[in-house]
Amino acid sequence: MSSGLGPDGLNNDAIAEIFAELAVAAGVVVMDIYGTDSHVHAKPDQSPVCDADIAAEKIILAGLAARLPHLPVVAEEAAASGAKLPEADMFILVDPLDGTREFLAHNGEFTVNLGLIIAGEPKAGVVYAPALQQIWIAGSHAYAVTVAPGAALPARDQRRLIHTREAPADGLVALASRSHADPQTEAYLARLPIKARQPAGSSLKFCRIAEAAADVYPRFGPTMEWDTAAGDAVLRAAGGLVFDDTGGPLRYGKFARNYRNGPFVAWGDRHASAQAKAGVKSA
């Protein structure tokens, strides 16, 4: 898998490393706010936003401006505030606190997400769960490693290379959103040989599949590209895929739709996904 070249001659692995450093730095302010009154309020779409979303995004945007100044950035809270969204072939998607509901529920299942998009595909990404002190890093390959908020990233030889698994013969482990259940998801899963279901929050669902702990994650409810890009990058680098309701890979840079995704399914075993693709449109 090619690592590609980004701005200033940086390859996707080098960009992922920058993403990881910024996510771990943002994790400090996220955890500082975690045990306090987070001053939550509703955005125009009625989704929650709190102090941690805003503070983490400020840190990440400043870091990206300093280290990757030539790349346009689409960030969740800036978009919600009415910032002009760029239309570019190569750009960065930022979700400073994915799983705000999980953050407010104090269950630890929230993440800091950064993803690099090139020609509609996620080519590098980082998912950091500061409360769990776990980070998943994807460029040419996908890795997982333990790192505390604000700490230095462990050397690459100390990171665990991760890969998806073959679909188990005795049935699949399905992941479902902890906060967003819907009838279409239930109908879709009913068509598959599911032996167990596990709830999970935020982009952790992509990472669980990437590290061979689960097999499938369908999502029919609304999401934005910044919700999925980082986890999608990790999963694809680990050998999995995310497909949309056309049966093709989930695409990014949907400027005309304000970066809104349609239905998708994250899948670990590429060779066993044909049956899964067939049900997306009809679910």
Side-chain angles (χ1 to χ4, degrees):
M1 187 182 302
S2 171
S3 61
L5 287 177
D8 302 323
L10 293 175
N11 65 24
N12 296 341
D13 292 317
I15 292 173
E17 203 73 10
I18 292 170
F19 286 176
E21 292 169 7
L22 295 178
V24 171
V28 175
V29 69
V30 168
M31 294 309 296
D32 283 347
I33 296 171
Y34 189 42
T36 69
D37 180 351
S38 301
H39 299 102
V40 63
H41 62 274
K43 292 189 282 192
D45 65 358
Q46 297 306 304
S47 63
V49 61
C50 69
D51 290 351
D53 297 82
I54 297 166
E57 184 164 298
K58 183 177 180 180
I59 289 170
I60 292 167
L61 293 183
L64 291 174
R67 304 188 65 181
L68 295 170
H70 305 303
L71 277 177
V73 179
V74 177
E76 178 178 15
E77 303 314 328
S81 298
K84 181 176 173 58
L85 300 179
E87 184 175 7
D89 186 62
M90 180 185 294
F91 65 99
I92 297 168
L93 285 161
V94 174
D95 190 341
L97 184 62
D98 184 33
T100 302
R101 290 180 175 87
E102 276 59 58
F103 181 85
L104 297 171
H106 288 84
N107 65 21
E109 295 185 349
F110 51 88
T111 58
V112 179
N113 298 345
L114 294 92
L116 173 69
I117 305 302
I118 302 176
E121 298 181 14
K123 292 296 189 180
V126 162
V127 175
Y128 181 45
L132 306 179
Q133 299 192 6
Q134 288 290 310
I135 192 166
W136 293 264
I137 305 170
S140 54
H141 299 87
Y143 298 89
V145 69
T146 299
V147 60
L153 288 168
R156 294 194 185 195
D157 61 3
Q158 297 177 28
R159 304 174 192 179
R160 176 169 55 93
L161 182 67
I162 59 174
H163 200 279
T164 58
R165 67 187 183 185
E166 293 183 3
D170 61 343
L172 306 173
V173 174
L175 296 175
S177 174
R178 196 179 288 280
S179 302
H180 303 279
D182 62 82
Q184 287 177 298
T185 297
E186 296 301 320
Y188 179 82
L189 290 175
R191 298 183 175 94
L192 299 177
I194 305 298
K195 70 175 179 182
R197 293 179 56 166
Q198 299 174 358
S202 69
S203 292
L204 291 173
K205 295 180 283 294
F206 294 99
C207 299
R208 299 292 185 234
I209 298 173
E211 60 188 9
D215 304 291
V216 60
Y217 159 45
R219 181 65 182 267
F220 291 88
T223 62
M224 305 300 289
E225 292 186 13
W226 49 73
D227 294 318
T228 61
D232 191 348
V234 171
L235 180 55
R236 294 194 203 198
L241 77 164
V242 180
F243 54 83
D244 63 17
D245 55 359
T246 72
L250 183 63
R251 300 286 296 177
Y252 293 84
K254 297 181 287 290
F255 178 79
R257 296 172 56 179
N258 293 319
Y259 298 95
R260 184 176 298 276
N261 292 322
F264 67 83
V265 179
W267 191 263
D269 186 346
R270 288 175 177 263
H271 302 293
S273 65
Q275 176 188 357
K277 290 182 181 181
V280 179
K281 280 189 174 181
S282 58

